[in-house]
Amino acid sequence: MTGTKVLAMLAATALATAGCSSADPASSGPVTVTYWHGYNETGEELQTLRDVVIPAFEKAHPNIKVKQVPFPDEALRQKVLGAAAGGELPCLLRSDIVWVPELAKLGVLEPLDAKLKDFDALAKRTFPGPLETNKYRDKYYGLPLDTNTRVLMYTPAALKAAGLEKAPETFEDVRAAAAKLKGSPVKAFADGGTDGWNLLPWIWSAGGNLLNPELTKASGHLDSPASVAAVQLLVDLRNEGQLPDIMLGGTGGTPTDEGIAKGEYLSTLDGPWTFPIYEKQFPGVTVATSKMPAGPGGSVSVVGGEDIVMTKSCPDKEAGGEFIRYLLSDEAQLEMAKVGQMPVLADLGARLTSIKPYYGIFVEQLKTARPRPPVPQYKKIESLLSQHVSEALKGTVSPKQALTDAARAIDAVLAQD
Amino acid sequence: MSVRDDRTTRRDPLVYLVLVAGLVLTITPFLVMISTSFTDQSLVLELPPKLLPADPTTRNYTDALSSSGFALYFANSAVVAVATVAGVLLLSSMMAFAFARFTFPGKSVLFGALMAALMIPGMILILPQFLVARDLGLIDSRLGLVLFYIGAQLAFITFLLRGFFQSVPKELEEAMELDGAGPWRVYWNLMLPLSRPALATAAIFTFLGAWDEFAWALTIINDPDKRTLPIAIALFQGQYSTSWGLVFAASVIAVVPVIVIFVFFQRHFVSGLRSGALKG
Amino acid sequence: MSVLASEATARPAPVPVRGSGPRGPRLSTRLRAARVPYLFLLPGFAVFVLVMAYPMAQAFRISLHEWNILPGAESTFVGIANYLRALEDPVFWKALVNTGVYMLATVPAQLALGMLVALLLNRAIKGRTWFRALYYLPVVTSWVVVSLLFRYLFVTDAGLVNYVLVDILHVTDTRIAWLQNRWTAMVAICALGIWKGVGWSMIIFLAALQNVPKELTEAAELDGASPTRRFFSVVLPMLRAAVAFVTIMLVIGGFNAFTSIYLMTGGGPGNDTQVLLTYMYEQAFDFLDFGYGSSIAYILTLIVFALSVVQFRVFRYSEED
């Protein structure tokens, strides 16, 4: 009877597999530092980390082995949370900057300022904005590893077609560009959502803010006249048909990079990672950059990137600290810069821009760029901000009303802590 | 709409028309996927979309296959999926036999518990399950994958098989019992052989479930050497851009074994009852 | 004698004729017989309790707490507060409505199309295996991949769907922004659900059709019944249990839709296409609110359980019938 035979065969296989659960052989000798990250499997960053950075470190530290483990970037958060809940975190983690306060609050991270004797020296060399993302309740739980920010991107061709001399440098210029483009199919500005990442550059540049400096409430800041003016600018653009639907966060529309390349959008805010994408996807298109358009509050953009953190379950914190030091060294930072990962060291100067000239504008913008508020509830806060501002963009409520409602809801979330 | 499978209906053009029309809708998305998998990355989002790449390249396939560990992930998936099928078929068929052929105290409660497990979203169980796996020492082991895949599929397959077992005529069983056969022999020598279409269906579903699973494999496997294919494919998706050609090429490769399993098992869609057991 | 037919009345285990124990044959054999079903259940339930039932109980406990995910960390007991919170949460209700719409749109379509294809492929036609395999293709491709694929097909400007509608069929002049509006996005999501599920129903119906006795349909044909009548009065009743099984499973599956929505729209724009599971995931894994996430999971389970009980009744498909 075939069915039975197949079943028996399969059962035998099952038993065979049962023996497969292998335990790592107890290793004496060099200590191992396990390092989780979300670099793309086929990307150059992983290649450089694996083939250049780690071998160089191991050569200089023969008693330490680094085991780097890539996870799908999209799934890294879920992986980390599961491991945190089970007490199974690795020694080091390349963490999205907004997770750090969250993980610190859970109590799974080592405060690096206490753990590394030379923390201050390391920290001093990094950009202030990225460094702030590691702070939770007066302690630093990590160090910036790589950074980026958003600057205005456009093509000279689109600028010319719109009859503009230069890219918008101020809020007024943005309004003027929109007025010029009125009636044409080209949108003056495009962005892919209403998250903090998208909105905060406008709010900060307008002189507004999301939270108070103590990070305890939004009322009085998010609903201030300056913040309202920023959202009002976006709502005006939207009403003039100068801000596409993708701003509402839906998928399926023309993404910003494609829209810029094809001349459908005049400008967008984006980071350094887009240059290789333009090069590969839209060869022949020249993309130019300028700083975030300035408002009454100046030209203030938002800090992106990743931090390096050490977990409490790190078996050898000395060795882990040693690898952190190396990752923040000129050598490692410049190696990674060659493959598109922007360094966090503020003083690299020409050594950086000689690798990729386009880093220059980001270095410039980073001088004033700010991090999204480092609070554990950030994701929740951001979702409230996004929801309410979407309503304003759809025209169902006024910007003032939307931000007042958002501020009140955010206050409640912050009060729960 | 006859269910007969004899010669008189063999050349019905209408049947083919309907089947082919349905097939076009069914496989068009695949043609896009296959076409994309043979397209160089800079051409991926092209308008109008082409079902045949203008300048086909096999680079995505060679890249996928030569990327570190792809063959290993493939083998891991195969071992885990086959072991899961074996475990689920054995355990579920035993449970289904009990539910289909016996009355006993607590039957409804036990069956209800199984059904509830079918309904609860598996995602919310991940953290509690992770703690169980840790306490059993199954973190980072393929056995941990197999055991939890078996657990996750038991309820569904038991539910499926129970129905089929209920339909096996009592008379056959009674005849065996008169010959002195106990319940174990009835189960092994009568029930299983007679339920080949059902077991084949169950095997197909179970294999697919284990082959495709992502969230649990992500959660408990740390060592890259123990990863399964869905994780490997997800690794091709980058932080800022995704190599669609590569993702689709890897996915095409991943579909092949499931189709093989399907073709292999669907041969058993000839009923044990029909093939003469009743008359014999 | 249809597959899954429930004409059989479950009955006690057969009593072995020759069995006789030391303390009187009748009692001991009866005891031994009474043990038999439990022995069949034991290995399966051992695994089940360990990896499913116990975690389910834990998840329920979590739903009664403001849960701290760290092992050993203290969590605040909040009773049913998380459940009450759901009832007052407008996004929860929106997600519930979307889930209901998804289910109502996808379940009947999958049932009908799956049945149709199964009937056609149950015939002795040329290339039957290939047809079956190709129709099964969507089922075997991972949800992640087909969701990304469909997202790509429904892209406003370059997507195949708009291309076919606008440039080939000329049904409309404007390109539909499928994924950027609630109901058009739901259409795209449901289209994927149906497309992916037809082959699954087909397989079960095909297996079930194997046990519909040929004599029955032949007799009906001799009586001059039309194919449609033969199907509804002869075949379908024999497939009742299979239809019940597929319906119940599809309803469960509909309520558990996740990957397609998560990857096609992310629940957006805004929360417009949020379904129960994407919302649960957001609460648990984005906001680390596992207490609220678990309570959403249990509300969902409760709804599906109630629906299944109703379906068991409607199809008269309880384990005792």
Side-chain angles (χ1 to χ4, degrees):
Chain A
M1 296 275 152
T2 325
T4 334
K5 235 186 266 166
V6 168
L7 197 63
M9 194 181 80
L10 293 177
T13 324
L15 289 175
T17 337
C20 281
S21 73
S22 61
D24 281 323
S27 54
S28 56
V31 293
T32 300
V33 172
T34 309
Y35 173 39
W36 287 4
H37 58 77
Y39 290 120
N40 184 347
E41 174 77 21
T42 52
E44 291 176 315
E45 289 147 313
L46 179 52
Q47 281 168 24
T48 300
L49 175 72
R50 189 180 53 207
D51 303 336
V52 181
V53 174
I54 292 178
F57 173 76
E58 287 177 344
K59 203 169 164 212
H61 303 83
N63 55 334
I64 306 175
K65 282 252 163 280
V66 176
K67 185 177 181 191
Q68 57 84 21
V69 188
F71 287 96
D73 183 65
E74 275 277 302
L76 185 60
R77 181 179 167 85
Q78 195 183 324
K79 174 75 193 173
V80 167
L81 292 179
E88 298 274 342
L89 284 167
C91 177
L92 300 179
L93 168 70
R94 177 176 181 255
S95 164
D96 190 301
I97 52 178
V98 300
W99 306 343
V100 176
E102 218 173 6
L103 295 173
K105 189 190 173 202
L106 283 175
V108 296
L109 299 185
E110 281 292 352
L112 276 194
D113 49 2
K115 213 73 210 171
L116 298 181
K117 285 189 298 280
D118 50 349
F119 179 86
D120 288 341
L122 290 168
K124 217 168 70 192
R125 288 192 64 201
T126 62
F127 289 105
L131 182 64
E132 270 324 272
T133 63
N134 293 285
K135 196 170 167 186
Y136 173 65
R137 294 203 167 145
D138 298 330
K139 281 191 182 147
Y140 288 87
Y141 287 85
L143 278 163
L145 178 62
D146 53 81
T147 189
N148 55 58
T149 185
R150 311 180 85 203
V151 298
L152 199 73
M153 295 197 179
Y154 57 92
T155 63
L159 212 58
K160 208 172 153 199
L164 292 165
E165 308 258 290
K166 56 183 176 55
E169 286 170 0
T170 62
F171 281 17
E172 286 71 40
D173 290 351
V174 173
R175 284 187 190 277
K180 245 191 168 149
L181 286 167
K182 203 164 184 179
S184 85
V186 181
K187 316 274 186 206
F189 177 75
D191 205 346
T194 50
D195 286 337
W197 179 244
N198 312 103
L199 294 177
L200 287 173
W202 297 100
I203 291 176
W204 285 329
S205 297
N209 210 344
L210 173 57
L211 302 183
N212 59 352
E214 298 77 34
L215 309 179
T216 51
K217 66 189 185 73
S219 290
H221 299 270
L222 185 55
D223 50 1
S224 70
S227 301
V228 172
V231 174
Q232 186 68 54
L233 171 65
L234 296 173
V235 170
D236 291 345
L237 289 180
R238 174 87 185 145
N239 290 343
E240 290 165 31
Q242 293 301 313
L243 192 66
D245 288 348
I246 57 165
M247 188 78 192
L248 298 173
T251 54
T254 306
T256 51
D257 49 5
E258 190 186 333
I260 292 289
K262 291 184 175 166
E264 288 174 34
Y265 307 145
L266 177 71
S267 64
T268 185
L269 290 176
D270 228 331
W273 58 84
T274 44
F275 289 104
I277 297 175
Y278 281 119
E279 228 166 81
K280 206 164 177 185
Q281 199 91 6
F282 309 102
V285 173
T286 315
V287 179
T289 53
S290 62
K291 284 179 75 178
M292 163 76 202
S299 162
V300 185
S301 191
V302 59
V303 168
E306 277 80 19
D307 293 329
I308 179 99
V309 294
M310 186 192 285
T311 71
K312 287 226 163 104
S313 37
C314 177
D316 191 323
K317 292 177 177 126
E318 278 305 310
E322 210 42 56
F323 189 56
I324 291 179
R325 275 185 202 102
Y326 185 70
L327 285 176
L328 284 176
S329 67
D330 291 14
E331 193 181 320
Q333 289 273 313
L334 288 169
E335 276 302 330
M336 293 305 285
K338 288 184 196 160
V339 289
Q341 177 176 294
M342 184 160 173
V344 291
L345 305 176
D347 54 11
L348 292 174
R351 282 196 292 162
L352 178 60
T353 42
S354 69
I355 293 175
K356 307 232 178 193
Y358 63 66
Y359 281 138
I361 180 103
F362 295 97
V363 171
E364 193 56 32
Q365 188 79 62
L366 272 169
K367 286 179 184 159
T368 54
R370 290 193 214 163
R372 289 157 281 180
V375 288
Q377 308 93 325
Y378 179 73
K379 287 220 156 213
K380 183 99 199 229
I381 290 173
E382 175 170 67
S383 115
L384 290 166
L385 174 70
S386 172
Q387 267 173 45
H388 287 283
V389 173
S390 294
E391 291 307 319
L393 286 173
K394 283 188 220 159
T396 44
V397 293
S398 70
K400 170 80 187 158
Q401 191 60 47
L403 291 180
T404 309
D405 294 347
R408 198 171 302 140
I410 291 170
D411 285 350
V413 171
L414 287 167
Q416 276 167 19
D417 188 28
Chain B
M1 230 170 287
S2 160
V3 291
R4 300 167 348 127
D5 59 351
D6 56 38
R7 48 271 84 126
T8 56
T9 53
R10 197 164 289 176
R11 270 178 241 80
D12 192 339
L14 190 67
V15 171
Y16 277 102
L17 196 69
V18 174
L19 280 176
V20 170
L23 206 58
V24 168
L25 282 176
T26 304
I27 63 171
T28 301
F30 280 99
L31 298 181
V32 172
M33 174 167 141
I34 291 170
S35 165
T36 308
S37 72
F38 283 106
T39 305
D40 201 55
Q41 201 203 357
S42 58
L43 302 171
V44 163
L45 282 169
E46 205 181 11
L47 185 77
K50 290 196 173 72
L51 286 186
L52 283 177
D55 189 13
T57 166
T58 54
R59 224 192 89 201
N60 291 318
Y61 286 87
T62 49
D63 280 4
L65 288 170
S66 66
S67 77
S68 60
F70 197 82
L72 185 63
Y73 302 153
F74 199 92
N76 284 340
S77 276
V79 169
V80 166
V82 168
T84 304
V85 170
V88 170
L89 287 196
L90 183 68
L91 298 181
S92 286
S93 64
M94 287 171 67
M95 293 206 285
F97 182 61
F99 283 122
R101 282 301 201 241
F102 297 90
T103 39
F104 50 90
K107 184 174 170 180
S108 317
V109 174
L110 292 176
F111 192 70
L114 279 185
M115 290 302 293
L118 262 182
M119 295 162 191
I120 195 158
M123 204 115 50
I124 206 65
L125 300 181
I126 277 197
L127 288 193
Q129 283 176 328
F130 187 77
L131 298 182
V132 171
R134 188 194 55 183
D135 295 343
L136 293 174
L138 291 177
I139 301 294
D140 217 8
S141 85
R142 281 161 289 213
L143 183 62
L145 290 180
V146 172
L147 184 70
F148 282 79
Y149 289 168
I150 291 176
Q153 302 211 44
L154 272 180
F156 165 52
I157 300 299
T158 302
F159 185 34
L160 175 79
L161 292 180
R162 186 197 73 142
F164 280 85
F165 287 178
Q166 278 174 341
S167 72
V168 172
K170 290 268 140 164
E171 298 78 33
L172 296 173
E173 194 177 325
E174 278 157 6
M176 274 188 91
E177 279 159 12
L178 281 180
D179 291 344
W184 298 96
R185 269 190 57 200
V186 171
Y187 159 76
W188 192 258
N189 290 343
L190 179 82
M191 221 31 124
L192 293 187
L194 285 187
S195 306
R196 265 161 45 194
L199 290 173
T201 313
I204 289 170
F205 288 160
T206 312
F207 183 88
L208 178 63
W211 184 261
D212 228 17
E213 204 283 336
F214 177 79
W216 182 245
L218 171 79
T219 307
I220 73 158
I221 298 296
N222 298 330
D223 184 349
D225 288 348
K226 291 173 188 157
R227 283 183 172 160
T228 52
L229 214 46
I231 309 284
I233 294 176
L235 280 168
F236 292 139
Q237 284 168 261
Q239 190 175 358
Y240 302 115
S241 68
T242 294
S243 339
W244 291 113
L246 207 53
V247 170
F248 287 168
S251 307
V252 170
I253 298 168
V255 165
V256 173
V258 200
I259 292 295
V260 170
I261 291 281
F262 176 81
V263 172
F264 174 76
F265 277 106
Q266 74 93 37
R267 287 190 301 128
H268 295 278
F269 279 15
V270 180
S271 161
L273 294 174
R274 254 197 181 182
S275 50
L278 255 188
K279 287 144 208 160
Chain C
M1 259 157 285
S2 72
V3 163
L4 291 159
S6 29
E7 85 286 1
T9 318
R11 8 156 274 162
V15 179
V17 183
R18 283 188 284 272
S20 70
R23 275 185 291 159
R26 299 190 73 192
L27 183 66
S28 91
T29 46
R30 224 188 297 148
L31 277 180
R32 205 176 331 141
R35 233 170 40 205
V36 167
Y38 298 109
L39 290 177
F40 272 100
L41 291 177
L42 186 67
F45 261 91
V47 174
F48 176 76
V49 168
L50 191 64
V51 312
M52 291 299 292
Y54 174 71
M56 279 166 70
Q58 287 296 320
F60 183 67
R61 201 162 73 87
I62 291 173
S63 76
L64 302 177
H65 287 78
E66 199 172 283
W67 191 254
N68 184 328
I69 68 163
L70 279 210
E74 261 186 49
S75 295
T76 324
F77 180 80
V78 294
I80 58 166
N82 284 324
Y83 291 86
L84 297 177
R85 182 176 151 199
L87 301 183
E88 287 171 5
D89 180 349
V91 182
F92 170 82
W93 286 104
K94 196 176 213 175
L96 185 61
V97 169
N98 286 340
T99 307
V101 167
Y102 180 82
M103 198 195 70
L104 289 175
T106 57
V107 173
Q110 288 178 80
L111 270 175
L113 294 172
M115 180 66 84
L116 176 69
V117 176
L119 289 169
L120 297 179
L121 289 180
N122 195 39
R123 299 160 163 240
I125 57 166
K126 271 222 179 81
R128 185 165 73 164
T129 303
W130 287 109
F131 271 118
R132 286 179 179 180
L134 288 174
Y135 270 103
Y136 195 62
L137 209 50
V139 185
V140 304
T141 316
S142 88
W143 269 108
V144 173
V145 169
V146 295
S147 304
L148 295 169
L149 192 61
F150 265 64
R151 175 169 163 173
Y152 174 42
L153 297 180
F154 279 95
V155 160
T156 312
D157 277 342
L160 184 65
V161 174
N162 272 347
Y163 176 68
V164 169
L165 291 180
V166 177
D167 298 318
I168 295 184
L169 298 178
H170 301 291
V171 182
T172 160
D173 283 344
T174 46
R175 295 182 182 277
I176 302 167
W178 288 102
L179 302 175
Q180 296 183 44
N181 299 293
R182 182 178 183 185
W183 299 115
T184 50
M186 288 305 293
V187 168
I189 290 164
C190 293
L192 170 56
I194 295 166
W195 177 83
K196 181 106 167 57
V198 168
W200 188 88
S201 314
M202 171 198 81
I203 288 301
I204 305 220
F205 289 139
L206 264 178
L209 278 168
Q210 303 315 310
N211 284 6
V212 176
K214 232 192 290 190
E215 298 77 20
L216 272 182
T217 47
E218 273 166 0
E221 199 175 359
L222 286 178
D223 291 346
S226 72
T228 321
R229 266 217 59 202
R230 285 206 298 276
F231 172 70
F232 281 106
S233 57
V234 180
V235 180
L236 194 57
M238 310 249 20
L239 295 180
R240 194 189 62 177
V243 172
F245 173 81
V246 172
T247 311
I248 289 170
M249 290 308 301
L250 289 181
V251 169
I252 294 175
F255 267 88
N256 279 282
F258 171 75
T259 313
S260 55
I261 297 107
Y262 186 71
L263 292 177
M264 281 176 77
T265 66
N271 284 312
D272 278 357
T273 56
Q274 206 79 263
V275 290
L276 286 177
L277 269 201
T278 52
Y279 194 51
M280 178 202 90
Y281 185 86
E282 182 179 50
Q283 292 299 330
F285 287 94
D286 280 350
F287 303 157
L288 290 193
D289 198 344
F290 276 85
Y292 190 37
S294 301
S295 68
I296 295 173
Y298 264 93
I299 293 173
L300 181 153
T301 307
L302 207 68
I303 295 172
V304 185
F305 203 91
L307 281 176
S308 301
V309 169
V310 171
Q311 291 173 75
F312 271 114
R313 291 272 152 77
V314 167
F315 288 106
R316 280 172 292 138
Y317 179 64
S318 80
E319 76 259 37
E320 299 298 340
D321 88 13

